Structures are given as C-alpha cells and as structure tokens.
Amino acid sequence: MGRLYWKFFIFFFLAQLTAVTAVAIWVANQNQDKLNTQIETSPPARSLVDAAAATLQYGGVEGLSALITRWSRQPVPQVFAISEDNSELLGRTLPADVIANARALFERQSAEIAAAKSGHFMPRMALQKIKANDHHEYLLFVPASKHVNGVVRPKPHAGQFGFHGRPGKHSYPVMPLLAGAFASFIFAAILAWYFSKPIQQLRNAFASAAGGNLDVRVGKSMGSRRDELADLGNAFDLMATRLGALLQSQTRLLHQVSHELRSPLARLQIAVGLARQQPDKLASSLARIERESERMDDLVGELLALSRLESGMMNLAKEAVNLNELLDTVAEDARFEGEARKIIIDYDATHEHAVAPVMLSAQPDLLHRAIDNVVRNAVKYTPEQSHVSIRTVCDSAYVTVVVSDQGTGVLRDELEMIFQPFFRGSNTSHADGHGVGLAIAKQIIEAHGGTITAENEPSAGLSVAIKLPRL
C-alpha cells in the first residue's frame, strides 16, 4: 500500500476516533446522570446522611431507628439504611436497581475520597457505610423521592431545602455530535489543503510546460513530503528535464544537419558555376557534382538509418552469426582502407579460428555495420604508420570486442558524448566524416542487447569496447 493510503487512513481514523471519544464521554456522563437521578447528592442530602451516620455510630441501631421514624413524619427527604442483605432498617422497600446503583455510586465516591485525601481535602459524602452495634454494616443514603415506597411523592419546589428538580427525560447527544462534526470538519479541511496544494502546483506546472516553458520545476516546492505526490513532482521534473534536453538535441541536430548539407551544396553550386563558365572543364565539374551528391546521399542514408534505430521502427531479423568470420571481413576491409597510410590492422584471424567459434544471435548486416563503423573510426583517427588492434574477450555469457587505436584519444569529459550524432571531439574537429557513425553503432549494439563504451588507453589512443550476449 502506498504512503498516500496511510495518510488518508490516519486522517480519517483520527476524525472517527475524536467523534467516538466524544460520544463515549457523553454516554459515561449519561450513566453518571442516571446514578445521580436515583440518589440525592445535594448538600442537604449530605447533611441528612451525616446526621444519620453520627446517630448510628454513637446511638446504635435504636437511635437511628428513632431518628428515621421521626423524620418520616416530617416533609423532609428520607434517609434509608440498607444492610448487607439489601434489607432496610425499618422494613421499607426500594427497587433493586436503586440499591445496586447506590452501592456502585458509593464505590465510585470512595475512590474519589481516597484521591481527595492526598490533596488534604475531605468532601462531604452523599453515601456512607457504617458498622452498627448489631454487627451489620449499613449503607446510608437519600434516594430520589419518586422511588420511596414505590409511590411518587410530591417533590419540594425548586430551592426548597436546597434540592433542585432534575429533568425526567434524557437529552439527545447534541454536544457530542457537534464536537464530532467539528472535528471531522477540521480534519477534512486539513486533508483537503494537504492534498489540493501540491495538486494545484502540479497543474500549474503542467500548464506552464504545455505553454513551452520546460524550465519549470515543482520538486522543491513539495517541501519535505515523502509520498506519491512528491514522487509525481520529481517525475515531472525529470520529464521536463529530459524533454528540454531532447528539444535542445533536436535543435542542435537540425543545425548540424543544415551545416553538413551546406558544404556539399556550396561545392555543387561552385561546380555548376565552373561548368557554365568553363565548358572545357565540364568533365571535372560533373565528377565533382557526382562526388558531392554521393556525399549528401550517404549523409541522408545515415540519418534515415539513425532515425529508424532511435525510433525502434527497425525490426531485427536475427539469425546465428559467427563473430570470428564477421571480424575477419571487417579487418580485411580496414586493411584495404588503411593501406595508403601504412596502417596495420592487428587481428589474428588464424588464432581466432583456432578456438571454438563465437556465435551470436544478430542481424548480420547491422552488426557488421556497427563494428565496421567503430573500426573505420579508429583507422581515421590513428596516425600514419601506426596500429589498430581488434581483439575479443569471452566469458560464459558475453563476448567483448575491443577496438584500439594509437591516436590522440578523447578528453575525459567527452567520452560519453562521442556516441551522440554529429559530435566531434575537441582534438578531432578537423577530421572528415559526418559524425554519425558511432551514434549508429551505439543504436545497433543496444538493439542487440549489448553495450558500447569508450576509454582512453594509458599510453595513447582510444579503446572502444563492444559487449554482446552470446548465443
């Protein structure tokens, strides 16, 4: 489960917990009110209980009986004395639930008294339990007048003897419901703000990006969030960065293609002008026009091949390929090309064929083109009367073809960039070619599930490693 799930869960859990707590407090208060409606706890009732307790303690059962009998003839609340077996001292009757609630209220009152002792304050008790001279323990309290003898007696009016009437009906839990609704409102508002703010930021960022501003970023504005919305903001930043780089790359590519096409077009125009001005040199002008048109055709062909490879539109027709034989053919072509500059291609085909052939699953013409581009690039940049070496390193799963030259190498910061279209190293900017050969090689190798990397040799030159999975 995602992090947003747990945040939603915690928000709703706290809101529900607050509402349930409010209702639970209300129910507890209702239970307390129920006890208080059956037992008088007002100051006059406490005074009567105090008097009855003192009489029982010092005058015994006979004294308390006489006192309660005398009070029964007067319009005052009646004190009841309940023994352990729930029998009343004078034989009067009370509902069993009133007696049970009286005992529960006494236990609660005793706990409150014990806590009050630690604070050096002794409140007067509405219920008291006294052990009499007849060896019985009596619980003394004043029940509500409606429970006395099962007959509803007229209540004193409000304020008489200090007693106050209580409502007979239970009110609805208005305050708990309002508290729960308020807590839910607060949590809902916080939740809405917490999630709507980053969503609005993302919406504004997308609108800005749609308007062409790819420099907008939202990752920092997410603050310290660590959830899916923060991940979405970081993903947007990455998307905007990559789109910006892609657009810059496309713009640069368009500029470079225009530059590459301008030179042969300019030479074509010159050749056409010479042909018109000097008809006697028409043959040489036509030869120049043919060479320049072939160069433009080669450039357009390479660009089309690179475009198909980058877009993934080219479906590979793979078959079993003997890498040793393919490298033998590439080496022979390289020897022919480097012969004029006395460049030696170091590839021992006899030794390579002496061991077990290395088999690959590949499209032969594309793989040949990729390796040939790398080798021809080495031949182009190695000095005259030098060496270009081709060797293979095998393990159980992969084979690595390493092509090394003895040229000036490439700056460390430019090693990754030489596989980009039209890129030329700082120390190779005057070399011939279009600058797309290594880019095509990279696309072909990666389409075959391999990798291609470059590094400078310790002494001099550049080494390009092509790693491919074996069949």
Coordinates of all heavy atoms in Angstrom, one line a residue, residues 141-184:
F141 N -28.1 6.5 52.7 CA -28.2 7.4 51.5 C -29.6 7.9 51.4 O -30.5 7.4 52.1 CB -27.8 6.7 50.2 CG -28.7 5.6 49.8 CD1 -29.8 5.8 49.0 CD2 -28.4 4.3 50.3 CE1 -30.6 4.7 48.6 CE2 -29.2 3.2 49.9 CZ -30.3 3.4 49.1
V142 N -29.8 9.0 50.6 CA -31.2 9.5 50.4 C -31.6 9.2 49.0 O -31.0 9.8 48.0 CB -31.2 11.0 50.7 CG1 -32.6 11.6 50.3 CG2 -30.8 11.4 52.1
P143 N -32.5 8.3 48.7 CA -33.0 8.0 47.4 C -33.8 9.2 46.9 O -34.4 10.0 47.6 CB -33.8 6.7 47.5 CG -34.3 6.8 48.9 CD -33.3 7.5 49.7
A144 N -33.9 9.3 45.5 CA -34.9 10.2 45.0 C -36.3 10.0 45.5 O -36.7 8.8 45.6 CB -34.8 10.2 43.4
S145 N -37.1 11.0 45.7 CA -38.4 10.8 46.4 C -39.3 10.0 45.6 O -40.2 9.3 46.1 CB -39.0 12.2 46.6 OG -39.2 12.9 45.4
K146 N -39.1 9.9 44.3 CA -40.0 9.1 43.4 C -39.9 7.6 43.7 O -40.7 6.8 43.3 CB -39.9 9.4 42.0 CG -38.5 9.0 41.4 CD -38.4 9.4 40.0 CE -37.1 9.0 39.4 NZ -37.0 9.3 37.9
H147 N -38.8 7.2 44.3 CA -38.5 5.7 44.5 C -38.9 5.3 45.9 O -38.8 4.1 46.2 CB -37.0 5.4 44.3 CG -36.6 5.7 42.9 ND1 -37.0 5.0 41.8 CD2 -35.7 6.6 42.4 CE1 -36.5 5.5 40.7 NE2 -35.6 6.5 41.0
V148 N -39.3 6.2 46.8 CA -39.6 5.8 48.1 C -41.0 5.1 48.2 O -42.0 5.6 47.8 CB -39.6 7.1 49.1 CG1 -40.0 6.7 50.5 CG2 -38.3 7.8 49.0
N149 N -40.9 3.9 48.7 CA -42.1 3.0 48.9 C -42.9 2.8 47.6 O -44.0 2.4 47.6 CB -43.1 3.7 49.9 CG -42.5 3.6 51.4 OD1 -41.7 2.8 51.7 ND2 -42.9 4.6 52.2
G150 N -42.2 3.0 46.5 CA -42.8 2.8 45.2 C -43.9 3.8 44.8 O -44.6 3.6 43.9
V151 N -44.0 4.8 45.6 CA -45.0 5.9 45.3 C -44.3 7.2 45.0 O -43.4 7.5 45.7 CB -46.0 6.1 46.5 CG1 -47.0 7.1 46.3 CG2 -46.6 4.7 46.9
V152 N -44.8 7.9 44.0 CA -44.2 9.1 43.7 C -44.7 10.2 44.6 O -45.9 10.5 44.7 CB -44.6 9.5 42.2 CG1 -44.0 10.9 41.9 CG2 -44.1 8.5 41.3
R153 N -43.8 10.7 45.5 CA -44.2 11.8 46.4 C -44.0 13.1 45.8 O -43.2 13.3 44.9 CB -43.3 11.7 47.7 CG -43.6 10.4 48.5 CD -42.8 10.5 49.8 NE -43.2 9.4 50.7 CZ -42.8 9.3 52.0 NH1 -42.1 10.3 52.5 NH2 -43.2 8.3 52.7
P154 N -44.7 14.1 46.2 CA -44.5 15.5 45.7 C -43.2 16.0 46.0 O -42.7 15.8 47.2 CB -45.6 16.3 46.4 CG -46.0 15.5 47.6 CD -45.8 14.1 47.3
K155 N -42.5 16.5 45.0 CA -41.2 17.0 45.2 C -41.2 18.4 45.8 O -42.1 19.1 45.5 CB -40.4 17.0 43.9 CG -40.1 15.7 43.3 CD -39.3 15.9 42.1 CE -38.9 14.5 41.5 NZ -38.1 14.7 40.3
P156 N -40.2 18.7 46.6 CA -40.1 20.1 47.1 C -39.9 21.0 45.8 O -39.3 20.6 44.9 CB -38.9 20.1 48.0 CG -38.7 18.7 48.4 CD -39.2 17.9 47.2
H157 N -40.5 22.2 45.9 CA -40.3 23.1 44.8 C -38.9 23.5 44.7 O -38.1 23.4 45.7 CB -41.2 24.3 44.9 CG -41.0 25.2 46.1 ND1 -39.9 26.1 46.2 CD2 -41.6 25.2 47.3 CE1 -39.9 26.6 47.4 NE2 -41.0 26.1 48.1
A158 N -38.5 24.1 43.6 CA -37.1 24.4 43.3 C -36.5 25.3 44.4 O -37.1 26.4 44.7 CB -36.9 25.1 41.9
G159 N -35.5 24.9 45.0 CA -34.8 25.7 46.1 C -35.2 25.3 47.5 O -34.6 25.7 48.4
Q160 N -36.4 24.6 47.7 CA -36.8 24.2 49.0 C -35.8 23.2 49.5 O -35.6 22.2 48.9 CB -38.2 23.7 48.9 CG -38.8 23.3 50.3 CD -40.2 22.8 50.3 OE1 -40.7 22.6 49.2 NE2 -40.8 22.6 51.4
F161 N -35.3 23.4 50.8 CA -34.4 22.6 51.4 C -33.1 22.4 50.6 O -32.3 21.5 50.9 CB -34.9 21.1 51.7 CG -36.2 21.2 52.5 CD1 -37.4 20.7 51.9 CD2 -36.3 21.7 53.8 CE1 -38.6 20.7 52.6 CE2 -37.5 21.7 54.5 CZ -38.6 21.2 53.9
G162 N -32.9 23.3 49.6 CA -31.7 23.2 48.8 C -31.8 22.1 47.7 O -30.8 21.9 47.0
F163 N -32.9 21.5 47.5 CA -33.0 20.4 46.4 C -33.4 21.1 45.1 O -34.2 22.1 45.1 CB -34.0 19.4 46.8 CG -33.5 18.5 48.0 CD1 -33.8 18.8 49.3 CD2 -32.8 17.4 47.7 CE1 -33.4 18.0 50.3 CE2 -32.3 16.6 48.8 CZ -32.6 16.9 50.1
H164 N -33.0 20.5 44.1 CA -33.3 21.1 42.7 C -33.9 19.9 41.9 O -33.3 18.8 41.9 CB -32.1 21.7 42.0 CG -31.5 22.8 42.8 ND1 -31.9 24.1 42.8 CD2 -30.5 22.8 43.8 CE1 -31.2 24.9 43.6 NE2 -30.3 24.1 44.2
G165 N -34.9 20.2 41.2 CA -35.5 19.2 40.3 C -34.6 18.9 39.1 O -33.8 19.7 38.7
R166 N -34.7 17.6 38.7 CA -33.9 17.2 37.5 C -34.9 16.8 36.4 O -36.0 16.3 36.6 CB -33.1 15.9 37.9 CG -32.1 16.2 38.9 CD -31.2 15.0 39.1 NE -30.2 15.1 40.2 CZ -30.4 15.0 41.4 NH1 -31.6 14.6 41.9 NH2 -29.4 15.2 42.3
P167 N -34.4 17.0 35.2 CA -35.3 16.7 34.0 C -35.5 15.2 34.0 O -34.6 14.4 34.3 CB -34.5 17.1 32.8 CG -33.1 17.2 33.3 CD -33.1 17.5 34.7
G168 N -36.7 14.8 33.7 CA -37.0 13.4 33.6 C -36.7 12.7 32.3 O -36.6 11.5 32.3
K169 N -36.4 13.5 31.3 CA -36.0 12.9 30.0 C -34.5 13.0 29.7 O -33.9 14.0 30.1 CB -36.8 13.6 28.9 CG -38.3 13.4 29.0 CD -39.0 14.0 27.8 CE -40.5 13.8 27.9 NZ -41.2 14.5 26.8
H170 N -34.0 12.1 29.0 CA -32.6 12.2 28.5 C -32.5 13.0 27.3 O -33.3 12.8 26.3 CB -32.0 10.8 28.3 CG -32.0 9.9 29.5 ND1 -31.1 10.2 30.5 CD2 -32.7 8.9 29.9 CE1 -31.2 9.3 31.5 NE2 -32.2 8.5 31.2
S171 N -31.6 13.9 27.2 CA -31.5 14.8 26.1 C -30.7 14.0 25.0 O -30.0 13.1 25.3 CB -30.8 16.1 26.4 OG -29.5 15.8 26.9
Y172 N -30.9 14.5 23.8 CA -30.1 13.9 22.7 C -28.7 14.4 22.7 O -28.4 15.4 23.3 CB -30.7 14.3 21.3 CG -32.1 13.7 21.0 CD1 -33.2 14.4 21.2 CD2 -32.1 12.3 20.6 CE1 -34.5 13.8 21.0 CE2 -33.3 11.7 20.3 CZ -34.5 12.5 20.5 OH -35.7 11.9 20.3
P173 N -27.7 13.5 22.2 CA -26.3 13.9 22.3 C -25.9 15.0 21.4 O -25.2 14.8 20.4 CB -25.6 12.6 22.0 CG -26.5 11.9 21.1 CD -27.9 12.2 21.6
V174 N -26.5 16.2 21.6 CA -26.2 17.3 20.7 C -24.8 17.7 20.7 O -24.1 17.8 19.6 CB -27.2 18.5 21.0 CG1 -26.8 19.6 20.1 CG2 -28.6 18.0 20.8
M175 N -24.2 17.9 21.9 CA -22.8 18.4 22.0 C -21.8 17.4 21.5 O -20.9 17.8 20.7 CB -22.5 18.7 23.4 CG -23.3 20.0 23.9 SD -22.9 21.4 22.8 CE -21.2 21.6 23.0
P176 N -22.0 16.1 21.8 CA -21.0 15.1 21.2 C -21.1 15.1 19.7 O -20.1 15.0 19.0 CB -21.5 13.8 21.8 CG -22.1 14.1 23.1 CD -22.8 15.4 22.8
L177 N -22.3 15.2 19.1 CA -22.5 15.2 17.7 C -21.8 16.5 17.1 O -21.2 16.4 16.0 CB -24.0 15.1 17.3 CG -24.6 13.8 17.6 CD1 -26.1 13.9 17.2 CD2 -24.0 12.7 16.8
L178 N -22.1 17.6 17.7 CA -21.4 18.8 17.2 C -19.9 18.8 17.3 O -19.2 19.2 16.4 CB -22.0 20.0 18.0 CG -23.4 20.4 17.8 CD1 -23.8 21.6 18.7 CD2 -23.6 20.8 16.3
A179 N -19.4 18.2 18.4 CA -18.0 18.0 18.6 C -17.4 17.1 17.5 O -16.3 17.4 16.9 CB -17.6 17.5 20.0
G180 N -18.1 16.0 17.3 CA -17.6 15.1 16.2 C -17.6 15.7 14.9 O -16.7 15.6 14.1
A181 N -18.7 16.5 14.6 CA -18.8 17.1 13.3 C -17.8 18.2 13.1 O -17.1 18.3 12.1 CB -20.2 17.8 13.1
F182 N -17.5 18.9 14.2 CA -16.4 20.0 14.1 C -15.1 19.3 13.9 O -14.3 19.8 13.1 CB -16.4 20.8 15.4 CG -15.4 21.9 15.5 CD1 -15.6 23.0 14.7 CD2 -14.3 21.7 16.3 CE1 -14.6 24.0 14.7 CE2 -13.3 22.7 16.3 CZ -13.5 23.9 15.5
A183 N -14.8 18.2 14.7 CA -13.5 17.6 14.5 C -13.4 17.0 13.1 O -12.3 17.1 12.4 CB -13.4 16.4 15.5
S184 N -14.5 16.4 12.5 CA -14.4 15.9 11.2 C -14.2 17.0 10.2 O -13.5 16.9 9.2 CB -15.7 15.2 10.9 OG -15.9 14.1 11.7

